[in-house]
Amino acid sequence: MTISVVLFTSDLRLHDHPPLRAALDGSDAVVPLFVRDAAVVEAGFTVPNRMAFLADCLADLDAGLRERGGRLVVRSGDVVTEVAKVVAEADADEVHMAAGVSAFAHRREERLRAALEAEGCRLHVHETVITALAPGAVTPASSDHFAVFTPYHRQWTRQPLRDAVAAPRAVRVPEGVGSEEIPSRSEVCGVSPGLATGGETEARRRVTAWLRGGIGAYEDRHDDLPGDATSRLSPHLHFGTLSPVELVHRAAAAGGPGAEAFVRQLAWRDFHHQVLAARPDASGADYRSQQDRWRSAAEARDDIEAWREGRTGYPVVDAAMRQLRHEGWMHNRGRLLTASFLAKTLYVDWRVGARHFLDLLVDGDVANNQLNWQWMAGTGTDSRPNRVLNPVTQAKKYDPDGAYVRRWVPELAGIGGRAVHEPWKLRGLDRAAFDYPDPIVDLSEGLARFRKARGRD
């Protein structure tokens, strides 16, 4: 009897899962395994919102496996140690897993391969499980990765995608392999009250609804702050309850400008993964240094705290920051505005903002979070590193009637129309009626400081 172990990481699904399909095709039985990695805990990435969403995902994955005659095995500790234990308990011949892109993922694969080979067990690492294209699938002639999105996207669209793999009908798991209890969301403290539900079942429900009723208008409405017209699929892509390959195929089948714009965003996701795969240190170091002399944490302490709390005095910035705290998620336009405000208007190191986002975002992905922050800070792949987004101008454009602001900054609900974006212009008793701070910085002063720091004045 041949037995394989399938190590789930950021691919918590049964549909379009090449490692699981390969294991089932080549073995009599499989052990579906998830390890609650001690190294992730030590690195500070086990934040409440992602742990709660993860619990949903694991429970749903276990339920899906049980419907097919199997079950999920959950362990805690060092990944290499726990996988080796399961291999020994099951007398397994092979381990299958998805390829990662971070330095952490690469080290994990190297350690695991060495440990398994010493025991006569083979490790198979599968590409295009977490991304639609493998990080090294397309490269320019002069480099190991694309540093600019547009030429990358041009090549990305020309590459054929593999076919999506059907979910298995049956999964046979050998006896004698013990498991911890599946974690529950109810065990996690400090979860954002509006956090979405995790799991493949919910992910596939959302995709079906999105393809039927949202994707057609995506090109025109993806920046619509009050309309909330984005897919909200990013948490499911982060945890792998959705396959990016299947999602590209299904969006392309829907067709139209909205689908094309949506697939472009999936290409952006792949783009950031291939950058990080080639430059692992970009998770914490400037991809393209601008020789910034950021304000120190002590100097900017009050400004940073006001930004985190959503009390900057700029309503659209505060609305987005409060949405983040309440939902563990933020609208894409809000992410751009809040990042520009912190890094450029307040001139605070982008790593401060990136860390705060990772502390709260349910879709907090190292590749996308860190490189998007660098893009807005001007230290990443943006070809216009000194652009600054004006929060008032942006608010009037993307929240023209102020509905988004009034939803998340209810103390300003009494201000009608677009006047809500500039409450400091009210005078006397009208201004005193609203318990809301004045701006912590004048936009023109913030811009002048930034331009001087970058040598642009």
Side-chain angles (χ1 to χ4, degrees), residues 210 214-220 222 251 254-264:
W210 168 246
I215 197 168
Y218 182 74
E219 182 183 36
D220 297 326
H222 67 276
E260 292 175 3
F262 179 66
V263 170
R264 182 181 174 88

Side-chain angles (χ1 to χ4, degrees), residues 293-297 299-301 303 345-349 449:
R293 299 177 301 281
W294 305 106
R295 297 167 68 201
S296 69
E299 180 186 3
R301 180 181 56 206
D303 287 350
T345 303
L346 296 180
Y347 200 54
V348 170
D349 193 328
R449 174 174 56 197

